[in-house]
């Protein structure tokens, strides 16, 4: 197995990097002058390079993280060099990005740490008082996305799409090995992503709002989301939708074989093969009912997939020797995954959207067609057609 892992790493070094795809758009925004609120210079934070500078400040209302925070007076901050994790979820409000606040011009993200209940109250107040928003969207980013990129993705979305979608976008920055080699894929997937899911799962009440709420997960952020769902005690519907984009998740996520606890009124047509070679896979990946757990916390699941996604090849490279239903990524093999989604229970709750026309693309989560899907389905009113005695959900428009 160690030889297989080494072979996987060597192959991965010539494969596409997930970090380039997951965070490049957000990186391009640094200092670009776009965003919800930008100050050319904030005198209260020094306004210069080095400690305390905040030229080009940008602001968002809220952020969550499990990354270690540094106390600074009445506030806390984190950034690229904060590499440890907190034992509990940290809730931040009045969040601002300072490109040059740290030593040698390193960025910092500042915010006021509040309790879970105070965070919920502040989010609900923002929705009730801000005419531009009527729905909360939480976001789990992908692999090797640093706090800056997580912040900037939210910042750019809110500037470009807040008014036309009505979403209040709240990024969740989870600790992953940003700035490191691809050899850390296995470490992050089988370590940091699992710990993040357990940490945020323990704080799942934060998502239980009095206003409509959804969640978008990109790439490995979908594995974090699954861990949250499977670590939720006494699950209930808390999300209108979960949007699984470019999901680094097992292909058979919504198959009856992987979800024995789900209702079993099965359509026996279609593929029935099951991943049955389990060699050295973490228990968290093998834990059954992952798809069922997701449907117990969300009214509907949307899988946005691209058969040409090159970044998701890394999943197969690192899981050599395992059955293809585990090795293959849901976000790349959507057509096969839909064939495995054979029971009415999941067919009524999971919709597949084919983004293969985007070509060799992994980070399409903020493309206009994806944003249109978030807006189209945010009310939970999915287009329903009756097929073969059960409801089959389909997206309208050119993305199916």
């Amino acid at each position: 197995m160690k030889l297989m892992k080494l072979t996987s790493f060597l192959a991965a070094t010539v494969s596409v990097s997930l970090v380039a795809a997951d965070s490049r758009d957000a990186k391009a925004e640094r200092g670009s002058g776009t965003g919800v609120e930008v100050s050319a210079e904030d005198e209260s934070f020094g306004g210069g390079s080095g400690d305390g500078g905040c030229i080009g400040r940008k602001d968002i209302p809220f952020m969550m993280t499990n990354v270690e925070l540094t106390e600074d007076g009445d506030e806390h901050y984190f950034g690229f060099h904060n590499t440890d994790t907190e034992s509990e979820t940290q809730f931040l409000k009045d969040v601002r990005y300072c490109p040059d606040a740290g030593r040698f011009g390193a960025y910092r993200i500042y915010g006021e740490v509040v309790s879970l209940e105070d965070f919920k109250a502040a989010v609900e107040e923002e929705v009730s008082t801000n005419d531009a928003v009527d729905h909360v969207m939480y976001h789990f980013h992908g692999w090797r996305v640093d706090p800056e990129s997580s912040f900037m993705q939210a910042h750019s979305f809110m500037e470009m799409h807040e008014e036309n979608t009505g979403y209040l976008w709240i990024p969740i920055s989870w600790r992953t090995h940003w700035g490191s080699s691809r050899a850390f894929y296995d470490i992050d997937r089988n370590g940091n992503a699992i710990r993040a899911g357990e940490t945020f799962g323990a704080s799942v009440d934060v998502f239980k709002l009095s206003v409509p709420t959804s969640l978008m997960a990109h790439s490995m952020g979908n594995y974090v989301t699954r861990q949250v769902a499977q670590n939720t005690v006494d699950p209930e519907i808390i999300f209108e939708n979960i949007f699984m984009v470019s999901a680094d998740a097992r292909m058979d996520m919504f198959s009856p074989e992987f979800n024995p606890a789900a209702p079993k009124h099965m359509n026996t047509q279609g593929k029935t093969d099951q991943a049955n070679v389990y060699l050295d896979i973490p228990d968290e990946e093998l834990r059954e009912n992952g798809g069922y757990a997701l449907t117990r916390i969300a009214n509907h699941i949307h899988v946005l997939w691209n058969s040409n996604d090159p970044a998701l090849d890394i999943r197969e490279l690192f899981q050599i020797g395992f059955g293809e239903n585990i090795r293959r990524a849901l976000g790349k093999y959507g057509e096969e995954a839909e064939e495995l989604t054979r029971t009415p229970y999941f067919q009524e709750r999971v919709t597949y959207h084919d983004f293969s026309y985007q070509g060799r693309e992994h980070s399409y989560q903020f493309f206009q067609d994806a944003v249109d899907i978030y807006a189209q389905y945010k009310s939970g009113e999915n287009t329903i057609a009756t097929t073969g005695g059960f409801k089959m959900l389909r997206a309208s428009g050119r993305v199916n």
Side-chain angles (χ1 to χ4, degrees):
M1 181 55 61
K2 290 182 178 179
L3 178 60
M4 289 181 177
K5 293 288 187 179
L6 176 60
T7 303
S8 300
F9 165 64
L10 293 175
T13 59
V14 297
S15 180
V16 65
S17 171
L18 274 169
V19 67
D22 283 2
S23 62
R24 69 182 181 205
D25 296 335
K27 287 288 187 183
E29 292 294 331
R30 177 174 176 173
S32 66
T34 62
V36 179
E37 181 179 345
V38 181
S39 303
E41 182 170 336
D42 189 330
E43 294 291 341
S44 64
F45 289 92
S49 61
D51 287 343
C54 202
I55 297 175
R57 164 180 169 172
K58 300 182 180 183
D59 297 71
I60 60 175
F62 306 103
M63 196 168 188
M64 290 167 50
T65 189
N66 74 331
V67 180
E68 174 193 41
L69 300 180
T70 301
E71 188 173 0
D72 186 5
D74 294 334
E75 296 184 305
H76 291 74
Y77 69 83
F78 66 122
F80 187 90
H81 300 293
N82 292 71
T83 57
D84 289 335
T85 58
E86 299 278 2
S87 59
E88 298 179 343
T89 304
Q90 302 298 300
F91 306 99
L92 301 168
K93 71 174 187 177
D94 300 329
V95 185
R96 65 185 177 281
Y97 164 79
C98 294
D100 57 351
R103 292 185 181 276
F104 307 109
Y107 74 86
R108 288 179 180 174
I109 297 172
Y110 288 89
E112 178 186 350
V113 175
V114 297
S115 69
L116 183 153
E117 291 302 325
D118 286 346
F119 187 86
K120 288 176 60 177
V123 171
E124 291 172 339
E125 182 180 7
E126 177 69 18
V127 175
S128 66
T129 59
N130 183 348
D131 292 338
V133 298
D134 56 13
H135 199 119
V136 176
M137 178 78 91
Y138 288 95
H139 173 213
F140 281 120
H141 59 72
W143 181 46
R144 298 199 334 181
V145 173
D146 70 339
E148 175 187 46
S149 296
S150 178
F151 178 100
M152 297 300 284
Q153 288 173 347
H155 187 266
S156 296
F157 182 94
M158 291 176 68
E159 183 198 45
M160 298 173 63
H161 303 295
E162 180 183 72
E163 291 189 0
N164 58 13
T165 66
Y167 278 120
L168 170 63
W169 199 273
I170 301 180
I172 307 174
S173 177
W174 59 278
R175 172 60 179 144
T176 174
H177 281 89
W178 49 76
S180 61
S181 76
R182 277 160 284 180
F184 282 88
Y185 172 85
D186 229 17
I187 296 173
D188 276 338
R189 178 169 182 80
N190 299 327
N192 282 327
I194 293 171
R195 284 190 292 273
E198 291 172 348
T199 299
F200 296 122
S203 303
V204 73
D205 284 353
V206 75
F207 303 120
K208 299 176 182 179
L209 301 174
S210 62
V211 296
T213 306
S214 292
L215 183 145
M216 189 274 276
H218 180 246
S219 196
M220 196 182 289
N222 286 278
Y223 193 45
V224 177
T225 302
R226 174 188 160 189
Q227 298 305 317
V228 170
Q230 291 197 279
N231 282 284
T232 296
V233 179
D234 298 326
E236 60 184 278
I237 299 297
I238 53 179
F239 297 115
E240 287 288 342
N241 297 285
I242 294 178
F243 299 97
M244 303 179 70
V245 187
S246 310
D248 183 0
R250 51 190 294 159
M251 184 177 74
D252 63 347
M253 182 62 66
F254 301 106
S255 72
E257 292 82 6
F258 179 55
N259 297 278
K264 295 189 172 50
H265 302 292
M266 184 184 301
N267 172 10
T268 57
Q269 301 298 316
K271 293 186 178 180
T272 60
D273 55 310
Q274 180 183 9
N276 54 14
V277 184
Y278 298 144
L279 302 175
D280 195 29
I281 306 179
D283 291 341
E284 289 80 6
E285 181 68 276
L286 297 179
R287 184 179 177 186
E288 292 180 329
N289 298 303
Y292 183 44
L294 290 168
T295 62
R296 295 183 74 189
I297 64 170
N299 277 321
H300 204 78
I301 310 293
H302 294 268
V303 177
L304 281 62
W305 62 277
N306 177 5
S307 62
N308 301 304
D309 189 330
L312 290 175
D313 290 343
I314 197 170
R315 179 184 177 87
E316 297 179 63
L317 291 169
F318 272 93
Q319 296 195 4
I320 287 177
F322 306 145
E324 68 177 21
N325 286 2
I326 293 179
R327 290 183 59 213
R328 289 182 171 182
L330 179 67
K332 183 171 183 176
Y333 294 92
E335 184 173 1
E336 291 85 349
E338 188 167 10
E339 291 180 6
L340 292 171
T341 307
R342 302 193 315 280
T343 62
Y345 175 83
F346 284 116
Q347 289 170 340
E348 291 175 359
R349 291 165 174 80
V350 183
T351 303
Y352 291 84
H353 305 268
D354 185 358
F355 271 68
S356 300
Y357 65 90
Q358 295 289 353
R360 292 177 60 80
E361 186 59 61
H362 179 68
S363 281
Y364 50 87
Q365 70 270 36
F366 296 113
F367 285 10
Q368 187 61 54
D369 284 347
V371 173
D372 287 346
I373 287 176
Y374 308 153
Q376 177 183 356
Y377 292 105
K378 77 173 189 175
S379 67
E381 296 177 358
N382 297 280
T383 302
I384 300 177
T386 301
T387 305
F390 56 83
K391 296 177 181 177
M392 180 68 77
L393 297 176
R394 297 290 185 187
S396 61
R398 73 185 183 100
V399 181
N400 186 12

